[in-house]
Amino acid sequence: MIKSKVDEEDYWHSSKFKAFTFDDEDDELSRLKESRQAVNNIRRLVEEDDDEDDVEKVSWSGEPVGSISWSVKETAASSQRADREPAFPKISTVTPSISRSQSGYSLSSLFKGEDGHMTQIDRSLIMTLCKEVLFRELESRQTALRHFIHYLSETQNQRLLLELHRALGRAEDAALLQYKEHLSITDENKRRDFLKNCLSLPFSAEDLAHVQDHYTLLERQIIIEVTDRQAERGGKVEIFQKFPRKALILNMPLITTLYYCCFYHYAEPEGTFSSPLNIRQTFKISEKQYFVTALAARAKLKAWLDVDALFASRNWLGFTRKKSPLSFQRVVDILQKNSAPTHVLQDYVALVDDGELRLTLAQKHKCHNIVINTYRDMKDRQLLLGYRGKVVRGSVEERKIDDLLSNPQIRWKN
Amino acid sequence: MAHSARRDSPELPDFSILKRLARDQLIYLLEQLPGKKDLFIEADLMSPLDRIANVSTLKQHEVDKLYKVEHKPVISTSDQLCFLIRPRIQTVKWICDVVNADKVPGKSRRYKIIFTPQKFYACEAVLEEQGIFGDVTIDEWPFYLLPLDDDIISLELPEFFQDNFLAGDQRWVRTAGSALHLLYSLYGPFSKVYGIGRCSKMAYESWREQVEEGEQKARQAEIGNVFLIDRDVDFVTPLCSQVVYEGLVDDIFRIKCGCVEFGPDVTSSDKSVKVMLNSQDKVFSEIRNEHFSNVFGFLSQKARNLQTAYDKRRGMDIKQMKAFVSEELKGLKQEHRLLSLHIGASESIMKKKTKQDFQELLKTEHLLLEGFEIRECISYIEEHINRQVSMVESLRLLCLLSITENGLLPKDYRSLKAQYLQSYGVDHLLTFSNLRQLGLLVEQQPGETLTVMESKVGKLVNDKTAGKLTDAFSSLAKKSNFRALSRKLNLVPKMDEEYDLRVPRDMAYIFSGAYIPLSCKLIEQVLERDGWMGLEEVTRLLNGHEFAVTGSSGVDSKGKNDTQRIILVMFLGGCTYSEISALRFLGREKGYKFIVVTTAITNSSRLLEALLGNHV
């Protein structure tokens, strides 16, 4: 489908997607709030006797019992056979029919169905069957093979399952299956050693790099955990006192670890294991990813100077200006979610490129100055007048609006 | 809201009989173990059991204590233990442990295992292997179908999905066939059966065999036609964010067995409340199928009406007041309570959705469905991952990207996978392996023609331009079945027209007018054409396995027309509330009545959680 850019824009502004927005300011929501009010008022009127309602009838309710004989008759009726024409036609199918029979101990009976699919697996037979024969038989019967594999994983017969994968040349499947075992190892040192052994498994090159990272990460987490636990108990490191750790860092994802290190070990020199820069280097974390994580961690600590410094970039004249690998809209979002104060937010709202978006964000986050200045630049007296009602009475912002409104030098367009 | 239903819409059959049947069968089985006994119930069977029986029923049949199966040693002192379980090997193994633990001190008890809805051979093999086959008696409780509402019946078998589609184990096919057979014997005979999907075909065959084995009773059919559909025919629909009220409630609060638990944020008290969500709830039944944007207006109106009704009390004399209290007050209070809950739920939904930038998320989904600005979508997903926003949500977007684009470009796949593992843990290697196996998240296979083109272009222009051109060519070379299906079936409505969500014109309304669910569109088309004629290209794109058969058993002409418009749709592998809403809409438009039978109610989270590989 080929569409011009204009079409697309029109599209997004058409009523189809304007019909409803999940914005706070939505009229509908305020209507809803009114109804909430109304309903709450009524509540007071009727709350006198709060008797049992039908709403909560989820538990055992105490109904009388039905007739058993009827049911037994039904069951009996359905097992009666009658000779007659088939009611529905058989459809030509390459899929196996599901056999009910469970008896038979010959090899062929293991593989029932029209094209040799196995539907019933006799475990004791399998145990006695020569594995080469079994695996060879299974290889040509994909459905039977899948059933067998599922059966082995359900019964947790890891050994036979691995053997099967290997015999069928499914080396990567076998590697993943073995790697999976680490999940049931709770001791972190044992888990680390297990992961190290996994490095010799026949993974694809891509997956091997991931498993290598997994091992390196856990190894590092163990070191960090030991050091930090001591620091925390020692009671001398301020950050651990101020923000006690809520969970162990062991077995957390890489980005969580990076966040943790940006939180507790931000200023450390690159040489230490817990230095965010070292982690970034070791695991080849992208600039954007590093930036997002550091920003969130420092914002959480309300370390606004660190936040500021993340954006610092000097041009050739030595002036600093704010640069971000992330759109400033997102930056504002992250800061706001970490409850940044308005004076911090407004610096970043001001950097949003798109004028319309900037105004929306400024309104949403109550960055009054930006809104007021924008209306002034638009020479829109009406909008400014309207906004006056949204700022606190007697505030600096209100005075600023009043000053602007009474400024004879501005040529208002309305 | 109050859509004017076609007046000639036929009545739905009464499914409460299914509950009675299941309850009586259970009682019959319990009586097979006379005397006092303790009953161990598999955790996820508790809610379904709650819907059909109650404690006093069980007590009447000498059940002493009730326990939940927790895979821990039992503390029961009863000399008879009864286990009511799903046919799961892990549970059977636990029972073996229980029995063997009793053997050590020489404790003698009677044990009974009731498998529901059926036993599997593998379960018996485990009993045999553990040497307790002779110590237990085994029964099957054919509790196949639980009616969740007038038009929804569930098998309550969520594992059907991963067992059948991920593991490729067809053990549940016969269960599906038996469930269909139960419906057939109570509400049949059916006139026609349509279907698509490998599993559907097999379920049909299994059912047909049971029909041939069974006895045919001459009865007035209550269900005319049947449509069977595999979940893997359409993965796009269950992966989309739901925006119809019932679907939203399920996405956010998780409806379990037709019941939802609203927490303190909804009830605005310190209590949680469990609410049955079905057509009995007069408030819910009017908003369940509505696009969320319409819900507010409706609730406001309802609140005003309620206020007026209460206001009537003013100026009443004693006699009138007495009549008001006895006739109206209870109803009003009930409505008031429900209204209050649904307003609370709507507010909570709004809060949660505003917080997660739902609008932008929906925009990305819609772009993916249309196939526009894919690069922007990818960076949106990337950012999602980078910020460690919900693990399942990121996975959902990745899968949606992959299915709509017929796979990811290898470099995108590698980069997104690496970032995902960094954000959510390397053990998700196993998740990626599962998703690849199911075809939900795959790399694009470069076409051969493309390689030829690429090399030609590469010779003509310098390297830098060639790189760009390669990108352009590979996007042309995408052999996207979803895109092709979408075009063939008009799944994405024309965008230059306005879409009034208050007066929906097609099933797309369930996705804000952006997409008609593929599954429901297929059903619509096949019913309209009375088969697959003219849909050859579509079925080819869906990998075939379609069928349409007519039964030979004479359907009596009387009342035939009405019955023909009662259609049972069976989803193998689960369906979403949005799909049910879409079918209800279709039913109202065309004068059908749909009965949805599903192996379980699903949504994007349930579907993906079943595929996570990072748990033991």
Side-chain angles (χ1 to χ4, degrees):
Chain A
M1 273 197 251
I2 299 157
K3 260 197 300 183
S4 72
K5 185 83 187 152
V6 183
D7 274 352
E8 279 168 35
E9 268 164 21
D10 275 346
Y11 167 50
W12 289 115
H13 293 111
S14 74
S15 64
K16 182 159 119 187
F17 293 94
K18 278 261 166 110
F20 175 68
T21 59
F22 280 82
D23 283 338
D24 283 321
E25 310 294 326
D26 207 273
D27 277 355
E28 297 281 10
L29 185 61
S30 47
R31 272 169 73 192
L32 190 66
K33 279 179 184 148
E34 282 166 31
S35 349
R36 166 57 116 196
Q37 205 95 54
V39 171
N40 285 349
N41 289 340
I42 302 170
R43 179 175 297 164
R44 254 169 267 135
L45 300 174
V46 289
E47 226 147 51
E48 306 96 64
D49 59 330
D50 202 11
D51 57 358
E52 276 291 295
D53 244 325
D54 297 342
V55 203
E56 284 178 80
K57 60 173 179 195
V58 248
S59 54
W60 308 83
S61 55
E63 273 174 281
V65 188
S67 111
I68 298 169
S69 55
W70 172 76
S71 124
V72 177
K73 248 189 279 166
E74 282 287 331
T75 321
S78 69
S79 60
Q80 275 169 27
R81 286 188 68 114
D83 291 322
R84 64 199 151 73
E85 295 264 297
F88 272 85
K90 210 170 154 79
I91 43 175
S92 72
T93 158
V94 288
T95 51
S97 64
I98 300 296
S99 168
R100 273 173 139 184
S101 146
Q102 294 166 1
S103 58
Y105 279 82
S106 70
L107 186 57
S108 60
S109 74
L110 247 181
F111 306 107
K112 297 185 194 92
E114 285 155 36
D115 68 337
H117 290 303
M118 177 172 72
T119 52
Q120 304 291 351
I121 302 156
D122 190 302
R123 197 172 186 287
S124 53
L125 175 61
I126 278 158
M127 290 304 141
T128 56
L129 200 62
C130 164
K131 270 178 212 133
E132 278 107 73
V133 176
L134 174 69
F135 292 172
R136 199 179 56 231
E137 290 293 332
L138 283 170
E139 195 166 8
S140 56
R141 298 168 166 89
Q142 284 302 306
T143 306
L145 178 62
R146 280 196 296 269
H147 284 202
F148 189 49
I149 289 176
H150 193 215
Y151 174 75
L152 291 180
S153 45
E154 274 194 312
T155 49
Q156 298 172 324
N157 194 336
Q158 186 84 346
R159 197 183 46 78
L160 194 55
L161 196 50
L162 283 172
E163 236 173 289
L164 175 62
H165 278 308
R166 289 197 197 106
L168 300 176
R170 302 162 145 220
E172 277 187 46
D173 289 325
L176 275 171
L177 190 65
Q178 246 175 307
Y179 165 76
K180 188 175 181 169
E181 279 180 51
H182 83 267
L183 291 167
S184 48
I185 305 174
T186 44
D187 179 87
E188 65 266 20
N189 291 305
K190 283 192 187 135
R191 193 187 263 216
R192 178 200 53 205
D193 297 343
F194 181 87
L195 286 172
K196 190 175 184 185
N197 286 332
C198 284
L199 297 177
S200 59
L201 296 173
F203 287 108
S204 67
E206 187 198 340
D207 284 359
L208 184 63
H210 294 309
V211 176
Q212 171 76 56
D213 275 357
H214 194 174
Y215 163 67
T216 317
L217 179 65
L218 182 56
E219 189 184 35
R220 193 172 278 234
Q221 284 170 337
I222 292 172
I223 298 169
I224 297 175
E225 183 58 39
V226 170
T227 324
D228 286 6
R229 199 181 301 149
Q230 274 173 0
E232 196 174 32
R233 286 198 188 136
K236 291 203 180 100
V237 186
E238 195 199 343
I239 183 116
F240 290 116
Q241 302 303 304
K242 253 171 100 178
F243 302 97
R245 302 185 310 154
K246 287 189 190 109
L248 303 187
I249 194 60
L250 298 171
N251 299 318
M252 292 292 168
L254 173 63
I255 300 308
T256 313
T257 312
L258 176 65
Y259 182 90
Y260 173 94
C261 291
C262 285
F263 197 90
Y264 289 108
H265 302 279
Y266 194 56
E268 271 173 29
E270 212 176 320
T272 67
F273 276 133
S274 47
S275 144
L277 292 173
N278 188 311
I279 289 180
R280 175 184 180 176
Q281 197 76 38
T282 310
F283 296 99
K284 297 184 194 68
I285 294 170
S286 74
E287 190 203 351
K288 193 170 171 180
Q289 174 70 77
Y290 179 81
F291 183 89
V292 170
T293 313
L295 179 67
R298 300 321 286 171
K300 183 87 190 167
L301 279 168
K302 314 224 176 299
W304 307 122
L305 287 178
D306 288 343
V307 167
D308 216 39
L310 275 170
F311 296 89
S313 130
R314 278 174 206 284
N315 67 10
W316 60 280
L317 288 172
F319 296 123
T320 60
R321 59 189 187 93
K322 285 192 164 64
K323 252 181 76 178
S324 163
L326 198 64
S327 74
F328 279 103
Q329 181 196 357
R330 275 284 171 263
V331 171
V332 170
D333 189 33
I334 292 174
L335 292 175
Q336 186 260 333
K337 286 206 166 102
N338 286 291
S339 40
T342 312
H343 74 88
V344 173
L345 277 181
Q346 71 180 8
D347 285 354
Y348 296 93
V349 171
L351 291 167
V352 173
D353 266 342
D354 181 333
E356 212 171 303
L357 186 61
R358 184 169 60 236
L359 187 63
T360 318
L361 286 172
Q363 286 167 336
K364 190 170 163 193
H365 301 303
K366 305 201 164 36
C367 304
H368 299 309
N369 271 326
I370 297 175
V371 181
I372 295 167
N373 293 343
T374 309
Y375 289 155
R376 179 199 60 201
D377 296 345
M378 287 161 69
K379 307 215 183 304
D380 199 321
R381 192 186 156 82
Q382 290 307 317
L383 283 178
L384 194 57
L385 210 55
Y387 200 70
R388 194 179 178 277
K390 290 189 181 164
V391 299
V392 180
R393 200 168 285 176
S395 63
V396 191
E397 288 83 12
E398 195 188 48
R399 241 173 297 137
K400 183 172 174 179
I401 293 174
D402 288 341
D403 288 349
L404 284 172
L405 287 172
S406 57
N407 186 340
Q409 306 216 301
I410 302 174
R411 273 201 249 146
W412 299 105
K413 72 173 181 192
N414 50 21
Chain B
M1 254 143 277
H3 293 288
S4 53
R6 267 179 59 160
R7 241 170 287 143
D8 57 349
S9 271
E11 288 290 311
L12 284 168
D14 172 20
F15 292 116
S16 63
I17 200 173
L18 290 168
K19 291 190 185 181
R20 227 169 79 212
L21 182 60
R23 186 178 54 206
D24 294 348
Q25 283 162 337
L26 177 64
I27 290 167
Y28 178 78
L29 290 173
L30 287 174
E31 292 193 337
Q32 302 301 299
L33 188 64
K36 273 201 182 308
K37 58 216 157 234
D38 282 358
L39 183 64
F40 291 79
I41 305 170
E42 187 115 57
D44 50 358
L45 272 174
M46 311 264 281
S47 295
L49 189 58
D50 249 331
R51 300 290 176 274
I52 58 149
N54 47 59
V55 176
S56 58
T57 317
L58 299 179
K59 296 275 175 194
Q60 278 168 26
H61 300 279
E62 295 181 278
V63 170
D64 191 16
K65 295 198 183 75
L66 285 165
Y67 298 94
K68 188 162 88 176
V69 169
E70 286 179 303
H71 298 257
K72 289 192 294 203
V74 305
I75 38 157
S76 162
T77 53
S78 174
D79 56 5
Q80 298 201 94
L81 304 185
C82 186
F83 301 91
L84 186 55
I85 62 167
R86 289 280 186 223
R88 292 180 189 138
I89 286 179
Q90 287 314 311
T91 316
V92 175
K93 274 192 166 174
W94 167 76
I95 295 173
C96 293
D97 291 345
V98 170
V99 177
N100 282 323
D102 281 351
K103 279 184 182 174
V104 177
K107 196 187 282 178
S108 119
R109 299 203 240 220
R110 291 179 72 190
Y111 310 93
K112 182 182 199 63
I113 305 178
I114 302 175
F115 290 104
T116 188
Q118 65 175 93
K119 66 184 177 196
F120 288 138
Y121 180 68
C123 299
E124 286 179 313
V126 170
L127 292 174
E128 219 168 308
E129 184 198 73
Q130 301 281 323
I132 68 154
F133 196 78
D135 301 303
V136 297
T137 54
I138 293 174
D139 262 311
E140 286 179 319
W141 178 30
F143 179 28
Y144 289 106
L145 296 163
L146 175 70
L148 294 178
D149 206 343
D150 300 343
D151 60 350
I152 311 175
I153 303 173
S154 171
L155 276 73
E156 293 294 308
L157 287 174
E159 65 251 61
F160 188 104
F161 172 67
Q162 59 264 41
D163 284 351
N164 192 77
F165 295 104
L166 181 65
D169 188 326
Q170 292 142 352
R171 54 161 61 146
W172 295 111
V173 168
R174 192 179 161 79
T175 317
S178 305
L180 191 58
H181 187 246
L182 178 58
L183 289 165
Y184 173 81
S185 49
L186 291 173
Y187 307 100
F190 310 142
S191 328
K192 276 177 185 156
V193 183
Y194 314 99
I196 183 158
R198 200 178 137 87
C199 185
S200 292
K201 235 177 177 176
M202 289 166 69
Y204 167 83
E205 269 302 308
S206 165
W207 163 70
R208 191 191 54 76
E209 280 171 18
Q210 295 180 55
V211 171
E212 271 178 29
E213 283 164 19
E215 175 211 28
Q216 177 93 42
K217 276 174 276 183
R219 56 154 74 233
Q220 177 88 45
E222 290 179 82
I223 295 173
N225 300 323
V226 175
F227 195 107
L228 301 169
I229 182 167
D230 282 19
R231 184 66 277 172
D232 69 352
V233 167
D234 173 15
F235 276 134
V236 171
T237 305
L239 286 176
C240 291
S241 291
Q242 305 195 68
V243 284
V244 160
Y245 187 69
E246 190 165 12
L248 255 176
V249 170
D250 189 37
D251 272 1
I252 292 185
F253 304 102
R254 293 209 178 211
I255 301 173
K256 195 176 143 201
C257 218
C259 173
V260 74
E261 184 166 355
F262 286 135
D265 59 324
V266 171
T267 59
S268 29
S269 69
D270 48 4
K271 273 192 297 185
S272 288
V273 171
K274 284 191 175 178
V275 194
M276 291 296 292
L277 294 179
N278 55 39
S279 55
Q280 302 298 307
D281 177 336
K282 291 295 170 241
V283 177
F284 177 69
S285 65
E286 286 191 75
I287 54 175
R288 67 194 310 185
N289 300 313
E290 288 302 310
H291 188 270
F292 193 54
S293 58
N294 291 350
V295 170
F296 301 110
F298 175 82
L299 292 176
S300 307
Q301 183 58 46
K302 202 88 178 161
R304 279 195 292 277
N305 294 350
L306 194 62
Q307 183 75 62
T308 317
Y310 274 118
D311 286 348
K312 277 203 315 198
R313 297 187 304 177
R314 291 193 193 128
M316 278 184 184
D317 59 28
I318 296 285
K319 201 174 159 199
Q320 286 168 320
M321 187 63 107
K322 211 171 156 190
F324 174 82
V325 169
S326 64
E327 286 157 23
E328 281 179 65
L329 192 60
K330 191 166 165 64
L332 288 177
K333 279 172 70 176
Q334 162 85 348
E335 192 177 326
H336 174 226
R337 180 133 176 212
L338 292 170
L339 192 55
S340 173
L341 275 173
H342 289 297
I343 288 176
S346 301
E347 281 180 327
S348 174
I349 290 171
M350 273 305 276
K351 255 187 237 153
K352 291 199 175 97
K353 290 301 187 189
T354 310
K355 215 162 133 194
Q356 65 161 80
D357 293 321
F358 197 45
Q359 197 60 26
E360 212 174 335
L361 186 75
L362 287 181
K363 189 175 139 186
T364 304
E365 280 179 30
H366 294 167
L367 284 171
L368 287 175
L369 290 166
E370 281 176 290
F372 290 140
E373 299 179 24
I374 295 305
R375 279 288 129 206
E376 281 76 0
C377 291
I378 291 177
S379 24
Y380 179 83
I381 298 170
E382 212 168 48
E383 234 165 62
H384 228 259
I385 295 170
N386 288 165
R387 294 175 64 182
Q388 292 185 298
V389 189
S390 141
M391 178 241 288
V392 170
E393 196 81 323
S394 296
L395 210 51
R396 179 172 75 84
L397 291 170
L398 282 176
C399 293
L400 209 48
L401 171 71
S402 175
I403 326 171
T404 53
E405 288 290 295
N406 220 34
L408 275 63
L409 294 175
K411 69 175 165 65
D412 288 334
Y413 180 82
R414 272 195 294 277
S415 143
L416 289 165
K417 177 174 168 183
Q419 295 183 68
Y420 192 92
L421 299 179
Q422 289 189 339
S423 273
Y424 305 107
V426 179
D427 35 20
H428 281 292
L429 271 178
L430 300 155
T431 307
F432 275 80
S433 154
N434 285 346
L435 293 170
R436 182 194 286 254
Q437 195 167 325
L438 204 59
L440 271 178
L441 183 51
V442 294
E443 265 176 85
Q444 262 170 34
Q445 299 305 318
E448 280 168 31
T449 41
L450 172 75
T451 333
V452 176
M453 271 227 216
E454 265 182 286
S455 54
K456 272 186 192 160
V457 172
K459 276 174 200 148
L460 289 170
V461 285
N462 66 43
D463 287 344
K464 216 175 169 184
T465 342
K468 274 186 189 156
L469 281 172
T470 311
D471 269 4
F473 275 117
S474 48
S475 65
L476 277 177
K478 274 169 214 159
K479 191 191 92 215
S480 174
N481 285 356
F482 176 76
R483 216 62 78 205
L485 283 164
S486 166
R487 259 195 307 276
K488 276 258 167 267
L489 292 166
N490 282 321
L491 299 182
V492 176
K494 289 220 172 58
M495 50 212 50
D496 41 4
E497 297 160 38
E498 286 188 13
Y499 201 102
D500 187 351
L501 293 168
R502 273 152 231 263
V503 193
R505 62 164 178 261
D506 53 28
M507 293 185 280
Y509 93 94
I510 66 155
F511 292 121
S512 308
Y515 163 64
I516 298 175
L518 170 58
S519 52
C520 303
K521 186 73 179 184
L522 285 173
I523 295 165
E524 178 205 271
Q525 288 296 308
V526 169
L527 291 177
E528 205 162 90
R529 294 157 194 262
D530 188 15
W532 295 93
M533 277 283 274
L535 294 171
E536 292 79 7
E537 180 65 9
V538 170
T539 54
R540 195 186 58 79
L541 290 166
L542 289 169
N543 303 317
H545 290 300
E546 80 281 4
F547 59 93
V549 290
T550 308
S552 68
S553 57
V555 183
D556 50 342
S557 53
K558 213 172 77 187
K560 187 181 167 185
N561 279 336
D562 263 7
T563 318
Q564 289 311 300
R565 286 188 285 116
I566 297 195
I567 294 140
L568 188 150
V569 178
M570 188 170 191
F571 285 88
L572 298 159
C575 83
T576 64
Y577 280 115
S578 291
E579 285 170 315
I580 298 176
S581 290
L583 288 177
R584 287 185 184 133
F585 174 85
L586 185 65
R588 283 193 301 270
E589 291 287 296
K590 311 265 171 164
Y592 298 126
K593 267 280 183 352
F594 285 102
I595 299 150
V596 173
V597 179
T598 179
T599 51
I601 297 285
T602 194
N603 62 22
S604 57
S605 309
R606 289 191 197 104
L607 196 134
L608 291 171
E609 279 161 13
L611 303 172
L612 295 180
N614 67 333
H615 46 77
V616 187

